[in-house]
Amino acid sequence: ESGTAVSGVISTTTTWSYANSPYVVTGDILINEGITLTVEAGVTVKFIDDKVMQVQGELIAQGTSDSKITFTSNASSPVAGDWGSIQFLDESVDATFSGSTYTGGSILEYCIVEYGTELYIYNSSPFVHYSEFRYNSSNGIRVSGTGTYLWVNNCDIHHNLRNLQKTFR
């Protein structure tokens, strides 16, 4: 499988399609403010070295129970800490709800995040739902900042150095 190499600033609304999977992150990714990156169900995103994905716009990664989205290492024999992190930063689009129903904003649903450092949520509120965080070298999920409402449920967080770290100032 050759895959699609991706890196740098995403400055136009983009979809990573299942047909072009896997995506290999060869340099840091930044999703600009005002921009949406949609990752289709079943896509695998493989990170090299210490590369990170920073979200200042909107990340929509909605897999299904049968077709999960995987964020993983590009190494042939992956180990914890092979790559950096997925970071939802202050500027990222918070998830929105009507009652308890998700209506928009950043989401990780039916995703697997493995062999990286952590999922880092800073001053932001993505919806993290039915996802699995495993074999990460730091935290499964690390949350900090004041403006964070933690929408994390039905997730399986295991085999990380620390599974969940929350620091609210």
Side-chain angles (χ1 to χ4, degrees):
E1 57 183 39
S2 56
T4 304
V6 288
S7 67
V9 176
I10 297 176
S11 53
T12 56
T13 290
T14 302
T15 297
W16 288 358
S17 68
Y18 179 69
N20 292 325
S21 178
Y23 288 81
V24 180
V25 177
T26 58
D28 292 342
I29 299 271
L30 171 64
I31 303 169
N32 261 352
E33 282 187 73
I35 300 301
T36 300
L37 171 62
T38 302
V39 182
E40 289 184 351
V43 165
T44 297
V45 181
K46 297 180 169 188
F47 291 77
I48 67 164
D49 304 336
D50 53 353
K51 302 307 176 223
V52 301
M53 174 184 283
Q54 294 184 311
V55 184
Q56 289 185 328
E58 183 178 40
L59 174 62
I60 298 181
Q62 279 186 286
T64 66
S65 56
D66 297 330
S67 189
K68 295 185 177 176
I69 296 168
T70 303
F71 297 91
T72 189
S73 165
N74 193 45
S76 51
S77 299
V79 295
D82 272 352
W83 58 280
S85 55
I86 299 172
Q87 304 171 2
F88 287 95
L89 303 178
D90 199 357
E91 303 84 355
S92 68
V93 179
D94 291 342
T96 55
F97 296 85
S98 173
S100 60
T101 304
Y102 165 81
T103 54
S106 291
I107 181 170
L108 293 177
E109 186 172 49
Y110 290 109
C111 291
I112 297 169
V113 178
E114 63 183 10
Y115 300 115
T117 328
E118 63 191 0
L119 171 67
Y120 179 47
I121 300 171
Y122 175 73
N123 270 4
S124 60
S125 301
F127 185 33
V128 184
H129 194 225
Y130 290 116
S131 292
E132 185 174 6
F133 300 86
R134 63 190 184 195
Y135 314 124
N136 295 295
S137 62
S138 181
N139 306 284
I141 302 177
R142 180 165 63 105
V143 182
S144 69
T146 51
T148 304
Y149 188 91
L150 197 54
W151 295 103
V152 176
N153 62 22
N154 297 301
C155 289
D156 191 3
I157 306 172
H158 64 94
H159 291 88
N160 304 286
L161 179 64
R162 288 179 298 275
N163 289 326
L164 180 63
Q165 180 184 11
K166 293 184 279 192
T167 50
F168 297 108
R169 293 183 193 85

